[in-house]
Every structure is written in structure tokens, then in C-alpha cells.
CSV table of all heavy atoms in Angstrom, one decimal:
chain,number,residue,atom,x,y,z
A,1,SER,N,0.1,-17.9,0.1
A,1,SER,CA,-1.1,-17.1,0.3
A,1,SER,C,-1.0,-16.0,1.2
A,1,SER,O,-1.8,-15.1,1.2
A,1,SER,CB,-2.2,-18.1,0.8
A,1,SER,OG,-1.9,-18.6,2.0
A,2,VAL,N,0.1,-15.9,2.0
A,2,VAL,CA,0.3,-14.8,3.0
A,2,VAL,C,1.5,-14.0,2.8
A,2,VAL,O,1.7,-13.0,3.5
A,2,VAL,CB,0.2,-15.4,4.4
A,2,VAL,CG1,-1.0,-16.2,4.7
A,2,VAL,CG2,1.5,-16.2,4.7
A,3,LYS,N,2.4,-14.4,1.8
A,3,LYS,CA,3.6,-13.7,1.6
A,3,LYS,C,3.3,-12.2,1.2
A,3,LYS,O,2.4,-11.9,0.5
A,3,LYS,CB,4.4,-14.3,0.4
A,3,LYS,CG,5.2,-15.6,0.8
A,3,LYS,CD,6.0,-16.1,-0.4
A,3,LYS,CE,6.8,-17.3,0.1
A,3,LYS,NZ,7.6,-17.8,-1.1
A,4,GLY,N,4.1,-11.4,1.8
A,4,GLY,CA,3.9,-9.9,1.6
A,4,GLY,C,2.9,-9.3,2.5
A,4,GLY,O,2.8,-8.1,2.6
A,5,ARG,N,2.1,-10.1,3.2
A,5,ARG,CA,1.1,-9.6,4.1
A,5,ARG,C,1.4,-9.9,5.6
A,5,ARG,O,1.0,-9.1,6.5
A,5,ARG,CB,-0.3,-10.1,3.7
A,5,ARG,CG,-0.7,-9.8,2.3
A,5,ARG,CD,-2.2,-10.1,2.1
A,5,ARG,NE,-2.4,-11.6,2.2
A,5,ARG,CZ,-3.2,-12.2,3.0
A,5,ARG,NH1,-3.9,-11.4,3.9
A,5,ARG,NH2,-3.3,-13.5,3.0
A,6,PHE,N,1.9,-11.1,5.8
A,6,PHE,CA,2.2,-11.6,7.2
A,6,PHE,C,3.7,-11.5,7.5
A,6,PHE,O,4.5,-11.8,6.6
A,6,PHE,CB,1.7,-13.0,7.4
A,6,PHE,CG,0.2,-13.2,7.4
A,6,PHE,CD1,-0.7,-12.2,7.0
A,6,PHE,CD2,-0.4,-14.4,7.8
A,6,PHE,CE1,-2.1,-12.3,7.0
A,6,PHE,CE2,-1.7,-14.6,7.7
A,6,PHE,CZ,-2.6,-13.6,7.4
A,7,THR,N,4.0,-11.3,8.8
A,7,THR,CA,5.4,-11.3,9.2
A,7,THR,C,5.5,-12.0,10.5
A,7,THR,O,4.8,-11.7,11.5
A,7,THR,CB,5.9,-9.9,9.4
A,7,THR,OG1,5.8,-9.2,8.2
A,7,THR,CG2,7.4,-9.9,9.8
A,8,VAL,N,6.4,-13.0,10.6
A,8,VAL,CA,6.6,-13.8,11.8
A,8,VAL,C,7.9,-13.3,12.5
A,8,VAL,O,8.9,-13.0,11.8
A,8,VAL,CB,6.6,-15.3,11.6
A,8,VAL,CG1,7.8,-15.7,10.7
A,8,VAL,CG2,6.7,-16.1,12.9
A,9,SER,N,7.9,-13.1,13.8
A,9,SER,CA,9.0,-12.7,14.5
A,9,SER,C,9.1,-13.3,15.9
A,9,SER,O,8.1,-13.9,16.3
A,9,SER,CB,9.1,-11.1,14.6
A,9,SER,OG,7.9,-10.7,15.3
A,10,ARG,N,10.2,-13.2,16.6
A,10,ARG,CA,10.3,-13.8,17.9
A,10,ARG,C,11.0,-12.9,18.8
A,10,ARG,O,11.9,-12.1,18.4
A,10,ARG,CB,11.0,-15.2,17.9
A,10,ARG,CG,12.4,-15.1,17.4
A,10,ARG,CD,12.9,-16.6,17.2
A,10,ARG,NE,12.9,-17.3,18.4
A,10,ARG,CZ,12.9,-18.6,18.5
A,10,ARG,NH1,12.9,-19.4,17.4
A,10,ARG,NH2,12.9,-19.3,19.7
A,11,ASP,N,10.7,-12.9,20.1
A,11,ASP,CA,11.3,-12.1,21.1
A,11,ASP,C,11.7,-13.1,22.2
A,11,ASP,O,10.9,-13.5,23.1
A,11,ASP,CB,10.4,-11.1,21.7
A,11,ASP,CG,11.1,-10.1,22.6
A,11,ASP,OD1,12.1,-10.5,23.2
A,11,ASP,OD2,10.5,-9.0,22.8
A,12,ASN,N,13.0,-13.6,22.2
A,12,ASN,CA,13.4,-14.6,23.1
A,12,ASN,C,13.4,-14.3,24.6
A,12,ASN,O,13.0,-15.1,25.4
A,12,ASN,CB,14.8,-15.1,22.7
A,12,ASN,CG,14.9,-15.8,21.4
A,12,ASN,OD1,13.9,-16.3,20.9
A,12,ASN,ND2,16.0,-15.8,20.7
A,13,PRO,N,13.8,-13.0,24.9
A,13,PRO,CA,13.6,-12.7,26.4
A,13,PRO,C,12.2,-12.7,26.9
A,13,PRO,O,12.0,-12.9,28.1
A,13,PRO,CB,14.2,-11.3,26.4
A,13,PRO,CG,15.1,-11.2,25.3
A,13,PRO,CD,14.5,-12.0,24.2
A,14,LYS,N,11.2,-12.6,26.0
A,14,LYS,CA,9.8,-12.6,26.4
A,14,LYS,C,9.2,-14.0,26.1
A,14,LYS,O,8.0,-14.2,26.4
A,14,LYS,CB,9.0,-11.6,25.7
A,14,LYS,CG,9.4,-10.1,26.1
A,14,LYS,CD,8.6,-9.1,25.3
A,14,LYS,CE,8.9,-7.7,25.8
A,14,LYS,NZ,8.1,-6.7,25.1
A,15,ASN,N,10.0,-14.9,25.6
A,15,ASN,CA,9.4,-16.3,25.3
A,15,ASN,C,8.2,-16.2,24.4
A,15,ASN,O,7.2,-16.9,24.7
A,15,ASN,CB,9.2,-17.1,26.6
A,15,ASN,CG,10.4,-17.8,27.1
A,15,ASN,OD1,11.5,-17.3,26.9
A,15,ASN,ND2,10.1,-18.9,27.8
A,16,THR,N,8.2,-15.3,23.4
A,16,THR,CA,7.0,-15.1,22.6
A,16,THR,C,7.4,-15.0,21.1
A,16,THR,O,8.4,-14.5,20.7
A,16,THR,CB,6.4,-13.7,23.0
A,16,THR,OG1,6.1,-13.8,24.4
A,16,THR,CG2,5.1,-13.5,22.2
A,17,VAL,N,6.5,-15.6,20.4
A,17,VAL,CA,6.5,-15.5,18.9
A,17,VAL,C,5.3,-14.8,18.4
A,17,VAL,O,4.2,-14.9,19.0
A,17,VAL,CB,6.6,-16.9,18.2
A,17,VAL,CG1,5.4,-17.8,18.6
A,17,VAL,CG2,6.8,-16.8,16.7
A,18,TYR,N,5.5,-13.9,17.4
A,18,TYR,CA,4.4,-13.1,16.9
A,18,TYR,C,4.1,-13.4,15.5
A,18,TYR,O,4.9,-13.9,14.7
A,18,TYR,CB,4.8,-11.6,17.0
A,18,TYR,CG,5.1,-11.1,18.4
A,18,TYR,CD1,6.5,-11.1,18.8
A,18,TYR,CD2,4.1,-10.8,19.3
A,18,TYR,CE1,6.8,-10.6,20.1
A,18,TYR,CE2,4.5,-10.3,20.6
A,18,TYR,CZ,5.8,-10.3,21.0
A,18,TYR,OH,6.1,-9.8,22.2
A,19,LEU,N,2.9,-13.1,15.1
A,19,LEU,CA,2.5,-13.1,13.7
A,19,LEU,C,1.7,-11.8,13.4
A,19,LEU,O,0.6,-11.7,13.8
A,19,LEU,CB,1.6,-14.3,13.4
A,19,LEU,CG,1.2,-14.5,11.9
A,19,LEU,CD1,2.4,-14.8,11.1
A,19,LEU,CD2,0.1,-15.6,11.7
A,20,GLN,N,2.4,-10.9,12.7
A,20,GLN,CA,1.8,-9.7,12.3
A,20,GLN,C,1.0,-9.9,11.0
A,20,GLN,O,1.6,-10.3,10.0
A,20,GLN,CB,2.8,-8.6,12.1
A,20,GLN,CG,2.2,-7.3,11.7
A,20,GLN,CD,1.3,-6.6,12.7
A,20,GLN,OE1,1.7,-6.5,13.8
A,20,GLN,NE2,0.2,-6.2,12.2
A,21,MET,N,-0.3,-9.7,11.0
A,21,MET,CA,-1.1,-9.9,9.8
A,21,MET,C,-1.7,-8.6,9.3
A,21,MET,O,-2.4,-8.0,10.0
A,21,MET,CB,-2.2,-10.9,10.2
A,21,MET,CG,-1.7,-12.2,10.8
A,21,MET,SD,-3.1,-13.4,11.1
A,21,MET,CE,-4.0,-12.5,12.3
A,22,ASN,N,-1.3,-8.3,8.1
A,22,ASN,CA,-1.8,-7.0,7.5
A,22,ASN,C,-2.6,-7.4,6.2
A,22,ASN,O,-2.5,-8.5,5.7
A,22,ASN,CB,-0.6,-6.1,7.1
A,22,ASN,CG,0.2,-5.7,8.3
A,22,ASN,OD1,-0.3,-5.5,9.4
A,22,ASN,ND2,1.5,-5.5,8.1
A,23,SER,N,-3.4,-6.4,5.8
A,23,SER,CA,-4.2,-6.6,4.6
A,23,SER,C,-5.0,-7.9,4.6
A,23,SER,O,-5.0,-8.6,3.7
A,23,SER,CB,-3.3,-6.5,3.3
A,23,SER,OG,-2.5,-5.3,3.2
A,24,LEU,N,-5.6,-8.1,5.7
A,24,LEU,CA,-6.4,-9.3,5.9
A,24,LEU,C,-7.5,-9.5,5.0
A,24,LEU,O,-8.2,-8.5,4.6
A,24,LEU,CB,-6.9,-9.4,7.4
A,24,LEU,CG,-5.8,-9.7,8.4
A,24,LEU,CD1,-6.3,-9.4,9.8
A,24,LEU,CD2,-5.5,-11.2,8.3
A,25,LYS,N,-7.8,-10.7,4.6
A,25,LYS,CA,-8.8,-11.1,3.6
A,25,LYS,C,-9.8,-12.0,4.3
A,25,LYS,O,-9.4,-12.7,5.3
A,25,LYS,CB,-8.2,-11.7,2.4
A,25,LYS,CG,-7.1,-11.0,1.7
A,25,LYS,CD,-6.5,-11.8,0.6
A,25,LYS,CE,-5.4,-11.1,-0.1
A,25,LYS,NZ,-4.8,-11.9,-1.2
A,26,PRO,N,-11.0,-12.1,3.8
A,26,PRO,CA,-12.0,-13.1,4.4
A,26,PRO,C,-11.4,-14.5,4.3
A,26,PRO,O,-11.7,-15.3,5.2
A,26,PRO,CB,-13.2,-12.9,3.5
A,26,PRO,CG,-13.2,-11.5,3.1
A,26,PRO,CD,-11.7,-11.2,2.9
A,27,ALA,N,-10.6,-14.8,3.3
A,27,ALA,CA,-10.0,-16.1,3.2
A,27,ALA,C,-9.0,-16.4,4.3
A,27,ALA,O,-8.7,-17.6,4.5
A,27,ALA,CB,-9.3,-16.3,1.9
A,28,ASP,N,-8.6,-15.4,5.1
A,28,ASP,CA,-7.7,-15.6,6.2
A,28,ASP,C,-8.5,-16.1,7.5
A,28,ASP,O,-7.9,-16.4,8.5
A,28,ASP,CB,-7.0,-14.4,6.6
A,28,ASP,CG,-6.0,-13.9,5.4
A,28,ASP,OD1,-5.4,-14.8,4.9
A,28,ASP,OD2,-5.9,-12.7,5.2
A,29,THR,N,-9.8,-16.1,7.4
A,29,THR,CA,-10.6,-16.5,8.6
A,29,THR,C,-10.3,-18.0,8.9
A,29,THR,O,-10.4,-18.9,8.1
A,29,THR,CB,-12.1,-16.3,8.3
A,29,THR,OG1,-12.4,-14.9,8.1
A,29,THR,CG2,-13.0,-16.9,9.4
A,30,ALA,N,-9.9,-18.2,10.1
A,30,ALA,CA,-9.5,-19.5,10.6
A,30,ALA,C,-9.2,-19.5,12.1
A,30,ALA,O,-9.0,-18.4,12.7
A,30,ALA,CB,-8.3,-20.1,9.8
A,31,VAL,N,-9.0,-20.6,12.6
A,31,VAL,CA,-8.4,-20.8,13.9
A,31,VAL,C,-6.9,-20.9,13.7
A,31,VAL,O,-6.4,-21.7,13.0
A,31,VAL,CB,-8.9,-22.0,14.7
A,31,VAL,CG1,-8.1,-22.1,16.1
A,31,VAL,CG2,-10.4,-21.9,15.0
A,32,TYR,N,-6.1,-20.0,14.4
A,32,TYR,CA,-4.7,-20.0,14.2
A,32,TYR,C,-4.0,-20.6,15.4
A,32,TYR,O,-4.3,-20.3,16.5
A,32,TYR,CB,-4.2,-18.5,14.1
A,32,TYR,CG,-4.5,-17.9,12.7
A,32,TYR,CD1,-5.7,-17.6,12.3
A,32,TYR,CD2,-3.4,-17.7,11.8
A,32,TYR,CE1,-6.0,-17.1,11.0
A,32,TYR,CE2,-3.7,-17.2,10.5
A,32,TYR,CZ,-5.0,-16.9,10.2
A,32,TYR,OH,-5.2,-16.4,8.9
A,33,TYR,N,-3.1,-21.5,15.1
A,33,TYR,CA,-2.3,-22.3,16.1
A,33,TYR,C,-0.8,-22.0,16.0
A,33,TYR,O,-0.3,-21.9,14.9
A,33,TYR,CB,-2.5,-23.8,15.9
A,33,TYR,CG,-4.0,-24.2,16.0
A,33,TYR,CD1,-4.8,-24.2,14.9
A,33,TYR,CD2,-4.5,-24.7,17.2
A,33,TYR,CE1,-6.1,-24.7,14.9
A,33,TYR,CE2,-5.8,-25.1,17.3
A,33,TYR,CZ,-6.6,-25.1,16.2
A,33,TYR,OH,-7.9,-25.6,16.2
A,34,CYS,N,-0.2,-21.9,17.1
A,34,CYS,CA,1.3,-21.8,17.1
A,34,CYS,C,1.8,-23.2,17.4
A,34,CYS,O,1.2,-24.0,18.1
A,34,CYS,CB,1.9,-20.8,18.0
A,34,CYS,SG,1.6,-21.0,19.8
């Protein structure tokens, strides 16, 4: 459902993982957890 729209990446020196979400749809409405 998110292929082509979302991108996950990580930055180890910053101890952080990201989720870039593009072309968002109302169906994407939710609580997001890592």
C-alpha cells in the first residue's frame, strides 16, 4: 500500500530512523510506531 510513496532510511551516527512519506492519502491516517 505504500510502495513508491514511502522511503525508510537510517542515520547510524544520529541513532535515528526516518520514514519519508510522499503523496499521502487519507487512508494513510493512523498512529505510526517505530
Side-chain angles (χ1 to χ4, degrees):
S1 60
V2 306
K3 281 185 177 179
R5 300 188 297 120
F6 291 10
T7 302
V8 63
S9 62
R10 65 188 297 160
D11 188 337
N12 293 336
K14 295 182 178 179
N15 275 29
T16 302
V17 60
Y18 302 97
L19 184 68
Q20 178 66 48
M21 305 185 294
N22 299 325
S23 302
L24 283 162
K25 306 173 181 179
D28 295 318
T29 295
V31 176
Y32 284 71
Y33 300 87
C34 65

